[in-house]
Amino acid sequence: MKIAVCLRRVPDTTSKIVIGAGGKAIDEAGLKFVPNPYDEYALEAAIALKDAAGAGETVVVAFGPDNVQETLRTALAMGIDRAVHLQGAPSADGLSNARVLADHLKDGSYDLVLFGKLAVDDYGQQTGAMVAELLGLPCATAITALEVADGRATVAREVEGGVEHAGCSLPAVFTCDKGLNTPRLPSLKGIMAAKKKPLDIVPVTAPAGKVEIVSLALPAERAAGRIVGEGAAAVPALIQLLTTEAKVL
Amino acid sequence: MTAILAILEQRNGALRKGSVELLAAARRLADQAGTTVDALVCGAGDVAGLDALGAAGADRVLVATAADFSVYCPDGIVATVAAVAPQYRAVLVSATATGKDLAPRLAARLGGCCGMDVTAVDIDGANIRAVRPVYAGKAIQTVMLSGTVVLAVRPGAYAGVSAAKAGTREPANVPTYFKRLTVTGIRAPEKASIDVAEARVIIAGGRGLGDPKHFALLEELAEAFGGEAAVGASRAVVDAGWIEHGAQVGQTGKTVAPELYIAVGVSGAIQHLAGMRTSKVIVAVNRDKDAPIFKVADYGIVGDLFEVMPALTAAVRAAKAH
């Protein structure tokens, strides 16, 4: 099994967002950055599948500026075999970025290419499916179950009102959702080993995109609410407000 | 390349909730650009409700019929749309699990671009301007999209319109395609429940519940709402294994916009607030009067949830009985 995982570096989900000067991006000062949480399910799946197969290689790929190397090292510390840094400036257009990734992945002879279902910063939720389309490979998004046997994969994904099941032959592209597995933490031994694992740097340029960010703003603050009262005694007043004022009952 | 295409979802021969709202978004773009709206429905046989789509904003309803379309068939839908794509300036889908899967495939096939989970769309000259929440709603991004634009429009963002015309219906050609992915079907959960993403009311529990078995108190309140309420949860209790991850609301869970969100024993971590702040009305029940949840809640009750919840359930049941 040769498996590629595409990784993004994002602000920690507990971060408070401050709009940066220029009003088009966040102010990154003081923020802690982490591997995109959904990508961790992809990393775990890759490591577990290779372990189960008993042979193969896991590769983590990230497209971005030099600071993504720190994120790649985290993936190596989890147990990924080697890393590729596609060095360049990603576009606001997911398809431009997908082209960069697809160009790199197309000659890699990967059995599987895995993504997180979305990156928790831009919520773009498109690169994985676009890479699949560009590579002409089968694709399922936001999977919560994955089984691989005899050159085929079966997957499950949550849809409104149920779980959708699907299957395809390999190679294939999947994007991973919470519930797929429990990602392992990097061990101290893994962190030491990661320093010696290969990290190749490949300069790239994203093709011109068709998406331009006009502005980024904080959402309107909710008006301050009120404490209706304390304990069960406050319930009648709450019901009254929900019925007559809020009109949601 | 002028008209607007809205791809409507069907399941088991019935149009899915949200079709009328998606047509409203398409209608807005078409009216601004002085063009028409086509609705595309992919099904395996008869689909109920097509006659109403004209009045809901569709100038023309295209019906693509293929045996594969009894379930979701992304490769077939992409091929069908790609065959008629030169007619369209924008292709709209609902930002459901299906629509979010389909939109980027279409954008890649059409060589266009994709705006995901948009809450507002407008024509701006040759471009389309879209507004979309990012960082799970902690920030709002406005983007300008050019070329053939594929938009996944967040359910609930648009109210249906009344176009007062009939609309025409035509079969759409399904070209030969290679089915790479085979969807075998949808399995309903063992316990019938409403998805938090679709519920009108959400009763969400947090660590303050103290024990997974206390989710029963939330389920009782949800039942009192009579089939329109779902039980949701904070990340802490999902990670603790108290409830399945599908119930999680927040930055690594679902972003929701119900009419009523009742947060029980939820302290209000920033990533949870991000996911539920677009609720119309928020009620918080918490023992800690300083919990951050009270800062976003319209109405709060400070108190022991074991005392408040049974009273609230009884009161809602009584209110609903009237």
Side-chain angles (χ1 to χ4, degrees), chain A residues 13 15 38 121 123 133 139 141 158 160 163 165 167 178 210 212 214-215 217 220 222 226 228 231 245, chain B residues 11 101 105 109 111 132 135 138 140 142 144 182 184 187 239 245 248 251-252 277 279 298-300 302:
Chain A
T13 56
S15 304
Y38 290 105
D121 53 2
Y123 262 61
E133 192 66 40
C139 173
T141 57
E158 283 186 19
E160 292 79 8
V163 177
H165 294 260
K178 187 167 190 167
K210 293 174 177 169
E212 186 201 335
V214 177
S215 67
R222 291 186 73 95
R226 69 187 114 151
V228 177
E245 188 178 84
Chain B
R11 199 183 282 177
D101 182 275
R105 298 172 189 263
R109 178 70 66 92
R132 46 187 305 273
Y135 299 92
K138 287 179 190 170
I140 308 295
T142 301
M144 204 66 88
T182 302
T184 48
R187 206 169 296 157
D239 285 354
H245 57 85
Q248 187 183 325
Q251 197 163 358
T252 53
R277 60 173 298 139
S279 304
D298 299 281
Y299 308 113
V302 178

Side-chain angles (χ1 to χ4, degrees), chain A:
Chain A
M1 289 289 286
K2 189 176 177 190
I3 307 170
V5 178
C6 296
L7 182 64
R8 280 280 313 275
R9 171 185 183 267
V10 297
D12 188 279
T13 56
T14 59
S15 304
K16 185 173 187 292
I17 296 302
V18 176
I19 308 298
K24 293 185 181 183
I26 60 166
D27 179 357
E28 297 194 352
L31 289 187
K32 182 188 169 201
F33 284 82
V34 296
N36 178 42
Y38 290 105
D39 299 351
E40 293 188 338
Y41 305 113
L43 293 166
E44 176 62 35
I47 296 164
L49 281 168
K50 185 200 134 181
D51 285 353
E57 186 184 35
T58 53
V59 183
V60 62
V61 181
F63 172 32
D66 288 349
N67 54 25
V68 304
Q69 289 181 18
E70 170 198 334
T71 315
L72 287 168
R73 290 283 176 203
T74 305
L76 295 176
M78 284 175 70
I80 295 286
D81 298 321
R82 68 179 171 90
V84 178
H85 173 203
L86 300 176
Q87 187 182 44
S91 165
D93 185 341
L95 188 56
S96 294
N97 302 329
R99 287 194 165 115
V100 168
L101 291 166
D103 273 353
H104 176 76
L105 295 165
K106 68 181 192 301
D107 300 322
S109 304
Y110 293 103
D111 299 296
L112 278 175
V113 179
L114 303 178
F115 289 77
K117 84 162 174 183
L118 59 80
V120 299
D121 53 2
D122 64 18
Y123 262 61
Q125 203 166 347
Q126 53 194 264
T127 320
M130 286 172 164
V131 165
E133 192 66 40
L134 294 171
L135 294 175
L137 294 179
C139 173
T141 57
I143 62 169
T144 53
L146 168 63
E147 282 177 33
V148 173
D150 306 323
R152 283 192 63 80
T154 52
V155 299
R157 56 191 301 265
E158 283 186 19
V159 297
E160 292 79 8
V163 177
E164 189 171 81
H165 294 260
C168 64
S169 58
L170 300 185
V173 178
F174 300 123
T175 76
C176 302
D177 199 355
K178 187 167 190 167
L180 180 63
N181 52 41
T182 305
R184 67 193 68 194
L185 294 169
S187 64
L188 187 59
K189 194 177 155 202
I191 292 166
M192 298 309 289
K195 292 178 180 165
K196 294 184 186 139
K197 287 181 178 176
L199 192 162
D200 295 330
I201 299 169
V202 182
V204 293
T205 305
K210 293 174 177 169
V211 178
E212 186 201 335
I213 296 171
V214 177
S215 67
L216 186 71
L218 296 180
E221 287 290 332
R222 291 186 73 95
R226 69 187 114 151
I227 302 290
V228 177
E230 293 194 12
V235 167
L238 174 66
I239 295 292
Q240 177 72 18
L241 288 165
L242 291 178
T243 310
T244 57
E245 188 178 84
K247 296 184 171 38
V248 289
L249 267 189

Side-chain angles (χ1 to χ4, degrees), chain A residues 155-167, chain B residues 9-14 16 69-73 96-98 182-190 193 195 198:
Chain A
V155 299
R157 56 191 301 265
E158 283 186 19
V159 297
E160 292 79 8
V163 177
E164 189 171 81
H165 294 260
Chain B
E9 283 177 50
Q10 61 89 25
R11 199 183 282 177
N12 302 324
R16 297 217 58 221
F69 294 167
S70 63
V71 289
Y72 176 50
C73 177
T96 58
T98 300
T182 302
V183 172
T184 48
I186 294 174
R187 206 169 296 157
E190 284 168 27
S193 59
D195 194 292
E198 293 192 316

Side-chain angles (χ1 to χ4, degrees), chain B residues 39 218 268:
Chain B
L218 276 56

